[in-house]
Amino acid sequence: MASDYSSSPITLNDLNPKVLKCAYAIRGEIVTHAQTLQQDLTENPGSHPFNEILYCNIGNPHSLGQKPISFFREVLALCDHPLLLDRSETKALFSADSIEQAIQILDQIPCRATGAYSHSQGIKGLRDKIASGIEVRDGFPADPNDIFLTDGASPAVHMMMQLLIGSENDGILCPIPQYPLYSASITLHGGTHISYYLDEETGWALEISELENQLKTARSRGVNVKALVVINPGNPTGRVLAEANQQEIVEFCWKEGLVLLADEVYQENVYAPDKQFHSFKKISRSMGFGEKDISLVSFHSASKGYYGECGKRGGYMEFTGFSPEIREQIYKVASVNLCSNISGQILASLIMIPPKVGDESYESFSAEKEAILSSLARRAKILEDAFNSLEGVTCYNAEGALYSFPRINLPDKAIKAAEEAKTAPDAFYAWRLLNATGIVIVLGSGFGQRPGTWHFRCTILPQEEKIPAIVSRFTQFHKQFMDEFRG
Amino acid sequence: MASDYSSSPITLNDLNPKVLKCAYAIRGEIVTHAQTLQQDLTENPGSHPFNEILYCNIGNPHSLGQKPISFFREVLALCDHPLLLDRSETKALFSADSIEQAIQILDQIPCRATGAYSHSQGIKGLRDKIASGIEVRDGFPADPNDIFLTDGASPAVHMMMQLLIGSENDGILCPIPQYPLYSASITLHGGTHISYYLDEETGWALEISELENQLKTARSRGVNVKALVVINPGNPTGRVLAEANQQEIVEFCWKEGLVLLADEVYQENVYAPDKQFHSFKKISRSMGFGEKDISLVSFHSASKGYYGECGKRGGYMEFTGFSPEIREQIYKVASVNLCSNISGQILASLIMIPPKVGDESYESFSAEKEAILSSLARRAKILEDAFNSLEGVTCYNAEGALYSFPRINLPDKAIKAAEEAKTAPDAFYAWRLLNATGIVIVLGSGFGQRPGTWHFRCTILPQEEKIPAIVSRFTQFHKQFMDEFRG
């Protein structure tokens, strides 16, 4: 592209080629185009055949109207402005247990200073709370010194990639389809992305034989494979791994000497009644593997779950099975950025120790939580049915996470039309959908898909009352699209 | 160091060598040792010749007792828990202008959702506020599209290094002494750190001839020099650049085709009555350089200034003089991490548009601000005088920032003793100081210093009433140290 910044010292050719190579589809061109359409709609209402943009591209619940959990926000507000705790009016505005929790948290912080940099792993008292929450979840001990609080899960993933990747000779096994943070981070750090395919035919199953094949092939090419990424519940697949499958994965990592990088950010988003989330730490401990047998990192985030607090950038990683010398290195890297944001740290602790029976907020908290989770389950089902009713579309049920990931068998004529438009067939479909309906989805190619297959990811996050209209807009678009291109 | 993690797949040798090489002195071994001492003091009071640890290693004002600016915290609390705005009791607890500001901010956010991911550059309405604050500060236009909100300044610096450094052939000019984030980030991204020395003899002046020499030498070695880092007000030197000197620097970058990376996080920390902060953008614009003539990045942070809100991780960079194609690349990299934390974004906007004359909070806000800044100025002066009164120590006055950076002429016997203890002389001094007094400082070598000279950085942040005791402990230690080692 031409630019008239002729005296600017830096051109595209001067940039880090790894940056140029990196791709991140969740906020790609199609989203930028959607933002332009949204501005159009504001400035010229009626200028498009829809009156709002529906961002189904990203797991961002509050942006589509989901309300925050009141208890969490009460505690955050009190920690932000602790002088409120000295005022009698506060009792009328805040629940007794949010006041108590805020006092407890502030007492854990030197000088009660929520405005100070904390320990680079996060405030010790909050890590204690998180560790106790993990113990309750797993039934196995957790150590606060194994917790690193981070600004959401993304920086934690980058930190691990930075630690493990020294050159392009270092490889990371990643699923296809995957959440593109992984491919982007591997590219930015200059490593080799080794794909293993999830098997769509059997409900996106993770087959050990596929892991073995890809590992063998990579090693035969001389790649030093360092780690395996597993996303459970799956993004974008929405599938929840069975316990026996998780055991095989742990066994595989142990046998092959791989670090297991477990993306467990959707641990509280499980809708299928016959499925349950088990952390890889719990699985490995229940198989008898101890701290020194297997290197495991579990990523968690305050952005997902029933809370969906994306903007707070709270999260943590639990980091087990690494020697003290390696911990020192990761601590050093964390310390260069000083610490993660304190509100996010507080929130990450709250999601691991929410109100319990008997607390003043318990009932309202549980009601808010249940309303969100049951509505998400209903929305997942409605969208699954809707997608499956479309011509040429098949879609597994979202057992968990926040996404549907349907497959479209596009007619040859559409594939040809895409070719003529110099774009990929799934991109062709997604752009058409956006321009016709205002619905933003992410192309399957953003996550990776078997060559010759086409998918898209659509979040289940639009508010429930809007779903029927969305389904009808989507269905109508799809019908017209197929009518236009059917052979 | 030996480890019994014998079956762990990853050893130190498997890690990214750039991580192993990276150093960050602000939270190095001495701080870890201080934390151990602090625990000792809690568990066994009286176990050391002091009763508290004084962290003078890091610019972390709230951790030493500085109180947050009430107005900022009021707004943050209201934005965290917007339901408060519907309650009548709120008027008794919050100022009218904090309520108004919170409503205005929430109105800028789609769905008023402070829990949603924002645009990857930050919420547009907040960028508008920041741009208008910059215009008031500089008297030149600022564009909200040039603002990238970040989790403090550190991730912004990393982002720029990631963008500019593709291999070890890419070089960045950095001052000696420097804030070690820069050296750490250059090392982590695999670039070449080209040092230019500030001239201690003339009050840490930045001499253009030195820049020219270092640039020439680097280029003759085949290094592709991409950018110049300037920290103003200086960290660790505490010096404020004169306007004429800034003009020379801009001219130099323009002539040599270098990106100017301006660390301006201490812009509100200027104590010398004859000095004033000028942004490099203002300087370049007032010299007649326009958007397309010079590539300039200004880093700012909510962690410093009179507010000192380190834990909120709020900050921004203003990014001017880059072509649209390069902006796309930086936007893409920012989008991989989705967005910076919303509370930090809000705070970064508040520091740029604080209460103004006539607002209900204006008087109390101004009183809080003035009390902090005038106390910092007094503390800087007391510490300067105290350091200058020590045998063999010389120290320039801190015109700005939050630090003293004295030079110590250590006796030969001390240098020899350090050698025998297999440590650097400045480290030897700093460890002795910590063990004798509980005062934590950072070694000059952490920032870089001319070979054969020794320095340390000490923040001016302990609360004013504690300063006399600190000075007396420090003085007594220094006297004993010199008595022990004087030739």
Side-chain angles (χ1 to χ4, degrees), chain A residues 24 26-27 57-60 151-155 158 179 181 301 303-304 310-311 313 457, chain B residues 116-122 149 151 331-341 345:
Chain A
Y24 182 70
I26 307 297
R27 290 199 158 177
N57 58 306
I58 187 165
N60 194 9
D151 290 311
S154 307
H158 285 307
Y179 175 53
L181 164 66
S301 168
S303 303
K304 310 300 168 186
C310 303
R313 312 312 287 123
R457 189 186 79 167
Chain B
Y117 294 128
S118 70
H119 186 284
S120 295
Q121 283 188 234
L149 283 150
D151 291 310
Y331 175 79
K332 181 179 71 181
V333 170
S335 80
V336 178
N337 283 328
L338 299 164
C339 67
S340 62
N341 85 87
Q345 290 191 26

Side-chain angles (χ1 to χ4, degrees), chain A residues 289-336:
Chain A
F289 289 117
E291 160 73 16
K292 290 175 188 167
D293 299 315
I294 185 153
S295 302
L296 172 62
V297 185
S298 165
F299 302 105
H300 194 20
S301 168
S303 303
K304 310 300 168 186
Y306 56 89
Y307 21 85
E309 291 273 17
C310 303
K312 294 291 167 191
R313 312 312 287 123
Y316 72 82
M317 57 179 176
E318 189 190 11
F319 190 83
T320 55
F322 292 87
S323 66
E325 307 92 80
I326 291 183
R327 282 157 175 279
E328 261 176 43
Q329 294 298 320
I330 188 111
Y331 174 80
K332 180 179 72 181
V333 170
S335 80
V336 177

Side-chain angles (χ1 to χ4, degrees), chain A residues 35-326:
Chain A
Q35 286 162 348
T36 313
L37 292 179
Q38 189 164 40
Q39 205 159 339
D40 263 11
L41 287 173
T42 314
E43 289 162 11
N44 308 301
S47 55
H48 294 276
F50 42 84
N51 52 30
E52 65 171 336
I53 299 291
L54 271 161
Y55 290 99
C56 299
N57 58 306
I58 187 165
N60 194 9
H62 294 208
S63 75
L64 294 174
Q66 184 179 308
K67 294 281 166 267
I69 299 290
S70 313
F71 175 80
F72 295 162
R73 292 303 189 97
E74 288 181 35
V75 177
L76 289 180
L78 292 168
C79 291
D80 260 349
H81 192 38
L83 291 179
L84 290 173
L85 293 165
D86 305 334
R87 301 285 296 270
S88 58
E89 295 93 333
T90 298
K91 290 202 177 101
L93 287 172
F94 293 84
S95 62
D97 50 339
S98 71
I99 292 174
E100 198 193 307
Q101 186 62 258
I103 292 172
Q104 247 192 50
I105 288 172
L106 290 167
D107 286 345
Q108 304 282 353
I109 305 177
C111 290
R112 301 165 71 94
T114 51
Y117 294 128
S118 70
H119 185 284
S120 294
Q121 284 188 235
I123 292 163
K124 172 64 167 56
L126 300 179
R127 288 187 277 130
D128 289 341
K129 285 177 192 288
I130 291 171
S132 74
I134 294 174
E135 288 187 1
V136 169
R137 183 193 70 192
D138 291 348
F140 288 96
D143 184 341
N145 294 319
D146 294 344
I147 310 290
F148 279 75
L149 283 150
T150 51
D151 290 311
S154 307
V157 169
H158 285 307
M159 219 190 279
M160 286 312 302
M161 295 302 174
Q162 186 165 54
L163 195 74
L164 294 173
I165 298 172
S167 75
E168 58 182 340
N169 193 43
D170 294 323
I172 310 287
L173 270 162
C174 267
I176 295 283
Q178 52 115 20
Y179 175 53
L181 164 66
Y182 293 97
S183 47
S185 188
I186 293 168
T187 304
L188 285 173
H189 291 99
T192 293
H193 182 165
I194 303 155
S195 303
Y196 65 91
Y197 283 93
L198 302 175
D199 185 27
E200 182 163 13
E201 309 308 316
T202 53
W204 299 114
L206 195 165
E207 305 281 1
I208 301 298
S209 57
E210 166 71 1
L211 292 180
E212 286 168 342
N213 285 341
Q214 298 297 350
L215 178 65
K216 202 172 140 190
T217 310
R219 282 183 175 160
S220 73
R221 279 165 41 214
V223 177
N224 183 2
V225 184
K226 297 277 184 78
L228 169 70
V229 172
V230 177
I231 309 172
N232 181 49
N235 176 6
T237 65
R239 307 295 283 180
V240 178
L241 294 176
E243 202 173 339
N245 197 187
Q246 288 187 270
Q247 290 172 346
E248 293 177 314
I249 295 165
V250 169
E251 180 88 24
F252 172 78
C253 287
W254 172 76
K255 204 178 66 188
E256 300 292 351
L258 298 177
V259 176
L260 177 49
L261 300 175
D263 181 331
E264 299 183 326
V265 303
Y266 298 100
Q267 58 187 261
E268 302 213 52
N269 295 102
V270 177
Y271 315 114
D274 58 331
K275 286 292 176 90
Q276 212 186 327
F277 168 77
H278 303 285
S279 77
F280 272 104
K281 170 134 171 275
K282 173 183 167 183
I283 297 289
S284 68
R285 293 294 176 269
S286 57
M287 291 168 76
F289 289 117
E291 160 73 16
K292 290 175 188 167
D293 299 315
I294 185 153
S295 302
L296 172 62
V297 185
S298 165
F299 302 105
H300 194 20
S301 168
S303 303
K304 310 300 168 186
Y306 56 89
Y307 21 85
E309 291 273 17
C310 303
K312 294 291 167 191
R313 312 312 287 123
Y316 72 82
M317 57 179 176
E318 189 190 11
F319 190 83
T320 55
F322 292 87
S323 66
E325 307 92 80
I326 291 183

Side-chain angles (χ1 to χ4, degrees), chain B residues 76-388:
Chain B
L76 288 180
L78 291 168
C79 290
D80 260 348
H81 192 38
L83 292 180
L84 291 173
L85 293 165
D86 304 333
R87 301 284 297 270
S88 59
E89 296 93 333
T90 298
K91 290 204 177 99
L93 287 171
F94 294 84
S95 62
D97 51 340
S98 70
I99 292 174
E100 197 192 308
Q101 186 62 258
I103 292 172
Q104 247 192 51
I105 289 172
L106 290 167
D107 285 345
Q108 305 282 354
I109 305 178
C111 288
R112 300 164 73 93
T114 51
Y117 294 128
S118 70
H119 186 284
S120 295
Q121 283 188 234
I123 293 163
K124 173 64 166 53
L126 300 179
R127 289 186 278 130
D128 289 340
K129 285 178 193 287
I130 291 171
S132 74
I134 293 174
E135 288 187 1
V136 170
R137 183 194 69 193
D138 290 349
F140 288 96
D143 184 340
N145 295 319
D146 293 344
I147 310 291
F148 279 76
L149 283 150
T150 51
D151 291 310
S154 307
V157 169
H158 286 306
M159 218 190 279
M160 286 312 303
M161 294 302 174
Q162 186 164 54
L163 194 76
L164 294 173
I165 298 173
S167 75
E168 58 182 339
N169 194 42
D170 294 323
I172 309 288
L173 271 162
C174 266
I176 296 282
Q178 51 116 19
Y179 175 53
L181 165 66
Y182 293 96
S183 48
S185 188
I186 293 168
T187 304
L188 286 173
H189 291 99
T192 293
H193 183 165
I194 303 155
S195 302
Y196 65 92
Y197 285 93
L198 302 175
D199 186 28
E200 184 164 12
E201 310 308 316
T202 52
W204 299 113
L206 196 166
E207 305 280 2
I208 300 299
S209 57
E210 166 73 1
L211 291 180
E212 285 168 342
N213 285 341
Q214 299 297 349
L215 178 66
K216 201 173 141 189
T217 311
R219 283 183 174 160
S220 73
R221 279 165 41 216
V223 177
N224 183 1
V225 183
K226 297 277 185 78
L228 168 70
V229 173
V230 177
I231 310 172
N232 181 49
N235 176 6
T237 64
R239 307 295 283 179
V240 178
L241 293 177
E243 204 173 337
N245 196 186
Q246 289 187 270
Q247 290 172 346
E248 293 176 314
I249 294 166
V250 169
E251 180 90 23
F252 171 78
C253 287
W254 173 76
K255 204 179 63 188
E256 299 293 350
L258 299 177
V259 176
L260 177 50
L261 301 174
D263 180 332
E264 299 183 326
V265 303
Y266 298 100
Q267 58 188 260
E268 302 213 53
N269 296 102
V270 177
Y271 315 113
D274 58 332
K275 286 290 175 92
Q276 212 186 327
F277 169 77
H278 303 286
S279 78
F280 273 104
K281 170 134 170 277
K282 172 182 167 184
I283 297 288
S284 68
R285 294 294 176 269
S286 58
M287 292 168 75
F289 289 116
E291 160 72 15
K292 290 175 188 169
D293 298 316
I294 185 153
S295 302
L296 172 62
V297 186
S298 164
F299 302 105
H300 195 20
S301 168
S303 303
K304 310 300 167 186
Y306 56 89
Y307 21 85
E309 290 274 16
C310 303
K312 295 290 166 191
R313 312 312 286 124
Y316 72 81
M317 57 178 175
E318 189 189 11
F319 190 84
T320 54
F322 292 86
S323 66
E325 307 92 81
I326 292 183
R327 282 158 175 278
E328 261 175 43
Q329 295 297 320
I330 188 110
Y331 175 79
K332 181 179 71 181
V333 170
S335 80
V336 178
N337 283 328
L338 299 164
C339 67
S340 62
N341 85 87
I342 305 297
S343 295
Q345 290 191 26
I346 293 170
L347 188 58
S349 77
L350 294 175
I351 65 170
M352 296 306 285
I353 46 141
K356 53 188 189 311
V357 184
D359 293 347
E360 186 184 310
S361 294
Y362 180 73
E363 278 189 33
S364 62
F365 163 79
S366 299
E368 289 175 16
K369 173 179 170 177
E370 271 321 299
I372 291 167
L373 287 175
S374 59
S375 169
L376 284 171
R378 288 192 299 271
R379 288 179 255 171
K381 179 73 184 133
I382 296 170
L383 286 172
E384 175 204 338
D385 291 345
F387 290 135
N388 277 319

